Amino acid sequence: MTAYIIRRLFATLPVMAVVTVFVFFLLRLAPGDPAAIIAGDDATAADLEAVRIKLGLHLPIYEQFGLWIWRLAQGDLGVSIFSDLPVTRLIAQRVEPTLALTLSTLFVAVSLAIPVGVIAAWQARRLADRAVMVFAVLGFAIPGFLAAYILIWIFAVKLQLLPVQGYRPIGEGFWPFVEGLILPSIALGVTYMALIARITRASMLEVLSQDYIRTANSKGLATKRVLLLHALKNAAVPIVTVIGIGIALLISGVVITETVFNIPGLGRLTVDAVLKHDYPIVQGLIMVFAAAKVLVNLMIDISYAFLDPRIRY
């Protein structure tokens, strides 16, 4: 097990190396002059040169790359062009709302979707199964931002049960913290829940058709024991896989959700940085999101070894 985990850890290094090279050259080799975009239409030649010096664009490309790698190895993601603050500080200031939104969405989606998927498989081709399939289709069909506005209109505007927008840190009280995350978590998690429920249903249907499940039923084991102890455990690998893929989708989805609900997290920071052409922040955020996705995939790979001891690739 230890050797397997060490191999998976080392396998992440080439991935992060490729991401690092891609992030650097994506912004450097893209069409257009970054200095001209940042300085604006009325900039003089002196203004352009000042921006190039500030960004290090006056140096040869290999020197820029070497400096980028050296600073990255020291945890330095650069300095924001417009706020003149370190990118690491800006990210640290915004990470709490994004982490809270992602974890709450994950909790709501997984805790609801897996039981729903199990029930749908158990009640295959009955009313409960058809209701779950309708929900799955609607969950895929409705865009996240549209679901967000529908939820705001019903629960915030009409019923006035929850706040329309905003984020309250947990230090200001547990309920204000939770009520500000309910609508964003549901809006962000609808597609995710539909995906997990559908995969759980399909995986459970395959397992429930196996001979050992029929044997367990013929021995008179309780349905709950058969479903949870025998079937769900053996159907767990595809479910865990889709949960990992869904976490990567959640990281992308927070950009839209935080914008709609006015949550001051990394998603809002990404949008603001792109609109202002603040390249150091964009580079830093891409690296953070890529590292998070690599870490999630690593955890999923390691979980395979615990769920199925035969997996040792």
Side-chain angles (χ1 to χ4, degrees):
M1 177 68 74
T2 304
Y4 171 75
I5 294 174
I6 292 174
R7 282 201 305 272
R8 301 310 301 172
L9 282 172
F10 276 107
T12 63
L13 297 179
V15 176
M16 287 307 300
V18 171
V19 171
T20 302
V21 173
F22 178 77
V23 169
F24 176 81
F25 285 101
L26 175 67
L27 297 181
R28 295 301 191 282
L29 301 180
D33 183 359
I37 296 173
I38 293 168
D41 297 334
D42 300 328
T44 63
D47 295 333
L48 291 177
E49 187 61 23
V51 172
R52 289 195 181 95
I53 292 174
K54 186 174 183 178
L55 295 176
L57 298 176
H58 64 296
L59 299 172
I61 191 74
Y62 62 87
E63 285 191 34
Q64 295 180 40
F65 184 68
L67 287 172
W68 159 253
I69 294 296
W70 173 248
R71 290 170 181 164
L72 198 61
Q74 301 176 71
D76 182 5
L77 296 175
V79 177
S80 168
I81 297 171
F82 292 95
S83 66
D84 209 27
L85 293 173
V87 174
T88 50
R89 184 192 297 181
L90 292 172
I91 291 176
Q93 291 173 346
R94 301 291 192 95
V95 75
E96 183 199 323
T98 299
L99 195 59
L101 175 59
T102 305
L103 291 179
S104 61
T105 303
L106 188 64
F107 174 75
V108 171
V110 173
S111 60
L112 291 178
I114 291 180
V116 164
V118 171
I119 292 173
W122 177 43
Q123 298 289 320
R125 290 177 287 280
R126 297 178 184 173
L127 181 60
D129 180 31
R130 298 187 189 283
V132 171
M133 293 307 295
V134 169
F135 168 74
V137 172
L138 289 176
F140 282 118
I142 299 177
F145 72 90
L146 181 58
Y149 285 120
I150 292 173
L151 291 171
I152 289 174
W153 184 73
I154 295 174
F155 293 100
V157 177
K158 291 295 181 183
L159 301 178
Q160 297 184 351
L161 296 175
L162 295 167
V164 177
Q165 291 180 327
Y167 171 78
R168 304 285 291 276
I170 194 169
E172 297 182 8
F174 183 70
W175 174 243
F177 169 73
V178 171
E179 71 173 353
L181 289 174
I182 292 176
L183 293 184
S185 300
I186 296 174
L188 181 59
V190 167
T191 304
Y192 191 37
M193 284 189 281
L195 179 64
I196 296 175
R198 193 159 187 161
I199 295 299
T200 301
R201 175 186 178 275
S203 184
M204 284 291 292
L205 280 175
E206 182 178 351
V207 173
L208 289 174
S209 66
Q210 300 295 317
D211 291 339
Y212 68 89
I213 295 294
R214 283 194 285 270
T215 302
N217 286 325
S218 65
K219 287 183 176 180
L221 291 181
T223 303
K224 182 178 178 181
R225 184 179 177 86
V226 173
L227 288 175
L228 300 183
L229 187 62
H230 295 280
L232 184 59
K233 182 180 179 182
N234 290 290
V237 171
I239 298 171
V240 169
T241 301
V242 81
I243 289 175
I245 296 171
I247 292 175
L249 296 175
L250 286 184
I251 294 174
S252 306
V254 295
V255 175
I256 297 173
T257 305
E258 287 182 0
T259 302
V260 173
F261 287 96
N262 194 28
I263 296 175
L266 296 180
R268 283 281 308 282
L269 182 63
T270 303
V271 174
D272 294 341
V274 170
L275 293 177
K276 294 179 179 178
H277 306 293
D278 202 331
Y279 287 102
I281 295 181
V282 175
Q283 284 182 320
L285 287 169
I286 293 174
M287 291 301 301
V288 169
F289 287 142
K293 290 185 178 182
V294 169
L295 180 62
V296 168
N297 284 327
L298 173 65
M299 293 172 64
I300 296 300
D301 284 348
I302 292 174
S303 71
Y304 289 162
F306 289 98
L307 293 171
D308 189 346
R310 296 170 298 178
I311 297 178
R312 286 293 186 273
Y313 51 83

